[in-house]
Amino acid sequence: MKRLITIMSVALLVVTMAVPAFAGKVVLKLGHIAEPVHPYGQGAEKFAELVKEKSGGEIVVKVFPSSQLGGQKDLIEGLIYGTIDMALVGTAVLGQFQPQISLFDMPFLFQDREHTYKSLDTVGMDLGKPLEPKGIKLLGYMENGVRHLTNNVREVKTPADMADLKIRVMTNKIYIEMMKSLGASPTPMAFGELYSAMQQGTVDGQENPSAHIWTKRFFEVQKYASKTAHSYAPEPLVMSMISWGRLDGKQRQILMEAAKEAIDWQRALSTQKDDEYWKLIEATGKIKVIEVDRTLFAKATKPVYEKFASVVGQDNIDKVNALKK
């Protein structure tokens, strides 16, 4: 399978070099899985607005939210084949194509948001370069948010409380191992299936930022939310190398400038909305929000580093640690 992906990537790169430039107005399709009101859903719209403004209407970005163009893996495959121009996808899924970018899925990696952004904008951009021969151009990192745990069975205050809980995770080895290290039973599942799976009891709970807990209304089908802040979820803004290859230098510059401005705007929005979402979630009275001692969870997940340091690169972990205050 890996050999097939490599062959496809080389072939696609050759095709990219031969694809003619866009004729006339450039229309780019951008897909993501979030609701339009989600902070990175709003970030996508801000990006589209800035591109239109900076290009004088020459470049139009059409945003397709809520998995209209498919799940995250579908979006990435669309980028590689050039059937989708742009996407917002998680590093947990991109890691299947560039394992070292899964660095940002490691538990308790960041000190605070300032440290996070500094790491993403330096180390993160370097880790995006190996995606280019595989058909994907990284423009920067928007924010999904800080991830927390919810469940239907019991209050989770310590890792011991997670014993045998069936927790939905992305199809990502780091998240699977993370939940195992905490004593839970990880259950990989597509995001679009999650609400009904919790409603029907197929899984006991899930882990996601407050933005998804609120906008996807997970609080309706969960009883307890534990503010574990066990990992941070960046949401890379990526583009098909086939589409990138059809742009001229000026058009590429417009996209890069719009991406940087939109990312700065979206991160500020996401930080502001995080507190607001938790207040809204608690105000529903449907779910109990629990503060936890995060040091206990950080200690329990240390085996994840022992297992995956060689995958994400110990040197990359060291670079991120060196950026701490």
Side-chain angles (χ1 to χ4, degrees):
M1 186 63 177
K2 288 183 179 178
R3 183 170 178 272
L4 177 60
I5 291 172
T6 302
I7 293 169
M8 285 168 48
S9 299
V10 173
L12 285 164
L13 192 58
V14 171
V15 170
T16 301
M17 301 300 291
V19 170
F22 287 102
K25 181 183 284 188
V26 177
V27 179
L28 303 172
K29 292 189 296 183
L30 189 162
H32 64 79
I33 66 169
E35 297 301 311
V37 295
H38 188 288
Y40 77 68
Q42 294 184 56
E45 294 292 348
K46 182 69 172 179
F47 172 70
E49 175 189 315
L50 287 167
V51 169
K52 184 177 180 180
E53 176 188 310
K54 289 176 180 294
S55 69
E58 179 191 339
I59 308 173
V60 175
V61 177
K62 290 189 174 181
V63 180
F64 296 83
S66 310
S67 304
Q68 289 179 35
L69 300 182
Q72 295 209 344
K73 192 173 180 184
D74 301 315
L75 292 173
I76 292 172
E77 290 173 353
L79 296 176
I80 292 171
Y81 286 107
T83 56
I84 295 171
D85 302 299
M86 308 188 75
L88 281 160
V89 294
T91 49
V93 184
L94 270 182
Q96 296 175 36
F97 299 84
Q98 179 358 22
Q100 289 196 336
I101 211 165
S102 291
L103 165 71
F104 302 120
D105 298 306
M106 297 291 276
F108 301 97
L109 178 68
F110 299 117
Q111 188 175 48
D112 51 29
R113 271 186 162 91
E114 182 183 349
H115 177 226
T116 301
Y117 302 151
K118 196 183 296 183
S119 301
L120 292 172
D121 296 341
T122 54
V123 181
M125 293 309 292
D126 287 339
L127 292 182
K129 290 174 184 174
L131 286 167
E132 294 184 15
K134 298 176 182 179
I136 300 168
K137 173 76 177 177
L138 173 67
L139 300 185
Y141 295 84
M142 288 196 188
E143 176 172 293
N144 190 343
V146 181
R147 303 181 80 91
H148 304 277
L149 178 81
T150 70
N151 86 97
N152 259 329
V153 178
R154 66 180 80 98
E155 292 187 24
V156 170
K157 296 180 179 178
T158 70
D161 298 324
M162 291 185 65
D164 300 323
L165 289 180
K166 291 180 292 183
I167 304 297
R168 177 268 175 183
V169 294
M170 294 172 281
T171 306
N172 176 280
K173 291 179 181 179
I174 290 176
Y175 278 92
I176 291 171
E177 195 62 32
M178 192 190 310
M179 287 301 117
K180 284 182 180 178
S181 72
L182 292 169
S185 176
T187 307
M189 179 182 295
F191 188 66
E193 301 170 9
L194 179 53
Y195 185 97
S196 60
M198 292 189 293
Q199 189 176 41
Q200 295 165 11
T202 307
V203 294
D204 298 318
Q206 59 87 49
E207 50 83 44
N208 259 302
S210 63
H212 278 319
I213 296 171
W214 175 253
T215 62
K216 290 292 186 180
R217 306 187 69 82
F218 292 159
F219 59 86
E220 294 178 340
V221 290
Q222 295 279 269
K223 294 178 181 177
Y224 310 103
S226 300
K227 296 178 78 172
T228 49
H230 51 272
S231 66
Y232 172 86
E235 200 72 17
L237 175 61
V238 286
M239 184 168 187
S240 166
M241 284 297 293
I242 293 175
S243 301
W244 180 257
R246 298 176 68 187
L247 299 173
D248 62 30
K250 181 183 175 184
Q251 292 167 332
R252 292 178 180 183
Q253 187 63 29
I254 287 169
L255 289 187
M256 292 300 293
E257 288 177 3
K260 185 180 186 312
E261 287 184 35
I263 286 167
D264 289 344
W265 180 90
Q266 190 271 338
R267 288 173 177 175
L269 175 69
S270 182
T271 302
Q272 170 204 326
K273 297 295 285 185
D274 190 33
D275 287 336
E276 290 180 20
Y277 286 138
W278 279 116
K279 288 175 184 175
L280 289 168
I281 289 165
E282 287 193 85
T284 65
K286 294 177 179 291
I287 186 169
K288 182 175 182 179
V289 179
I290 303 156
E291 296 288 344
V292 304
D293 181 351
R294 292 168 186 155
T295 60
L296 298 176
F297 291 82
K299 183 178 179 181
T301 56
K302 284 189 181 298
V304 179
Y305 281 84
E306 295 167 13
K307 187 162 186 175
F308 290 100
S310 61
V311 175
V312 302
Q314 183 60 52
D315 58 330
N316 293 321
I317 295 172
D318 294 340
K319 287 175 187 175
V320 169
N321 288 334
L323 292 172
K324 291 180 178 177
K325 296 175 186 174

